[in-house]
Amino acid sequence: MKPAPVIVALDGATLNPGDNPWDAVAALGDLTVYPRTPLAELPQRASAADILLTNKAPLSADTLAALPRLKFIAVTATGFNVVDAAAARRQGIPVSNVPVYGTDSVAQYVIAAILHTIHDPGRHDAAIRSGEWQRRGDFSFWLTPLRELAGKTLGVVGLGRIGKRTAELAHAFGMRVIAHNPRPGPDPGWPGFRWTSLEDLFRESGFISLHCPQNADNLRFVNGRLLALARPDAVLINAARGTLVDEAALADALNSGRIGGAVLDVLGVEPPVADNPLLTARNCMLTPHLAWAALEARRRLMAATAANVAAFLAGQPVNVVN
């Protein structure tokens, strides 16, 4: 009987913190799951693997060269920049990702971020608990400007799957949507929609949401020059990649009032270093890279990862990125 393939998940804690079992993957081979793998321990943990699963654990060319037994890499995410895909190709190792799983989860995060900035229920709850309502004596009060979304403009940078879903939800609130893609696609047909330049998008939008992948051409493209064009009441939302934003420039724009606020689910270094200027910036809300992580999205991700492994074992790999 042919031995079962050895499958090693290098950093499974976020995909399954206890509510998303590995059963579908375990059924395909001899599975070992490490919650997380320090870089120093990665070569030893990966050495016996026929199949490696990784989300953020890096697989460099040097690491891959030291793994002659390795036959397949399944990235438990859409982005696969943690793997040197070209080096894997040279070694004959296909790399598969999961292109679609968190569209709704990320899109609803963006809408939640927008709603948070215009209602800020947490701040008002804290004020009530501190006795502010009793001190004021009125039946109603608010600490921040309250606005309606209808008629406001959302600028979407990267109108792909997630960007389109976000725009659809915004349109349901009566928002006007404008968008920028390096290569604009068909007009989606929403009233008031248009493709526009990055500069005009930043000038016009009350809310700016980033939905583009990271590549060599857009590293820290949200810089001081672009932020200087933004409206002083604009809010920047980033649930894509932290390295799209020049964090020092954004902190400076927030602290000087050149932009109204920011909601960031991703940072250039995660977890953030202690001197990240956004940790102390005004009107900046940070969340720990959780927009993708709704249980339904993680279940889809688990199922798709198992399907990728099964397809490879059947000799017909799918979602191959290299």
Side-chain angles (χ1 to χ4, degrees):
M1 177 184 287
K2 186 176 180 180
V6 175
I7 306 171
V8 176
L10 293 169
D11 51 357
T14 52
L15 181 53
N16 175 29
D19 57 359
N20 190 24
W22 291 91
D23 297 357
V25 179
L28 300 172
D30 180 7
L31 174 66
T32 300
V33 179
Y34 295 101
R36 53 193 60 80
T37 294
L39 193 58
E41 297 181 31
L42 195 155
Q44 184 274 326
R45 291 183 176 183
S47 61
D50 300 301
I51 297 170
L52 278 179
L53 276 55
T54 182
N55 186 295
K56 295 293 183 289
L59 296 173
S60 67
D62 289 343
T63 297
L64 293 173
L67 301 174
R69 178 170 172 164
L70 185 61
K71 301 178 182 66
F72 179 62
I73 298 168
V75 180
T76 59
T78 301
F80 55 89
N81 58 304
V82 296
V83 180
D84 189 324
R89 184 178 63 247
R90 291 192 295 271
Q91 289 182 223
I93 302 170
V95 178
S96 289
N97 74 337
V98 181
V100 182
Y101 67 92
T103 302
D104 286 329
S105 183
V106 177
Q108 75 179 30
Y109 171 92
V110 175
I111 298 302
I114 292 173
L115 291 170
H116 168 84
T117 65
I118 60 174
H119 291 293
D120 203 346
R123 180 174 176 182
H124 289 88
D125 174 73
I128 291 169
R129 296 176 190 279
S130 72
E132 183 70 12
W133 204 350
Q134 290 86 345
R135 286 191 293 272
R136 290 181 179 245
D138 296 324
F139 83 95
S140 174
F141 76 97
W142 49 94
L143 301 172
T144 57
L146 304 179
R147 296 173 288 164
E148 294 182 346
L149 291 185
K152 304 299 187 294
T153 298
L154 172 67
V156 178
V157 183
L159 200 67
R161 286 190 190 93
I162 298 175
K164 284 180 180 176
R165 184 61 179 140
T166 303
E168 288 169 355
L169 296 176
H171 177 65
F173 278 97
M175 298 184 76
R176 169 177 173 256
V177 177
I178 60 177
H180 174 81
N181 275 9
R183 292 177 293 279
D187 190 316
W190 302 313
F193 174 85
R194 80 172 195 278
W195 295 104
T196 189
S197 67
L198 271 176
E199 290 77 11
D200 283 347
L201 186 148
F202 270 72
R203 288 188 185 101
E204 296 179 36
S205 300
F207 301 91
I208 301 162
S209 191
L210 307 183
H211 294 284
C212 39
Q214 177 67 75
N215 58 50
D217 297 327
N218 62 15
L219 182 67
R220 289 186 284 279
F221 81 94
V222 180
N223 54 23
R225 180 191 68 83
L226 206 54
L227 291 166
L229 303 176
R231 293 166 35 170
D233 63 344
V235 176
L236 175 71
I237 303 165
N238 187 9
R241 289 290 180 267
T243 44
L244 297 171
V245 175
D246 182 330
E247 294 176 343
L250 176 57
D252 183 61
L254 289 165
N255 290 330
S256 64
R258 290 199 306 276
I259 187 170
V263 181
L264 308 172
D265 188 50
V266 288
L267 294 171
V269 175
E270 298 171 345
V273 295
D275 62 351
N276 186 313
L278 293 171
L279 293 173
T280 55
R282 294 175 52 203
N283 298 323
C284 183
M285 186 176 78
L286 305 175
T287 55
H289 204 141
L290 54 75
W292 66 280
L295 176 58
E296 294 84 353
R298 288 186 288 110
R299 285 177 173 167
R300 284 191 291 270
L301 181 53
M302 183 70 79
T305 298
N308 282 347
V309 173
F312 167 75
L313 292 173
Q316 297 178 322
V318 296
N319 298 319
V320 176
V321 298
N322 66 334

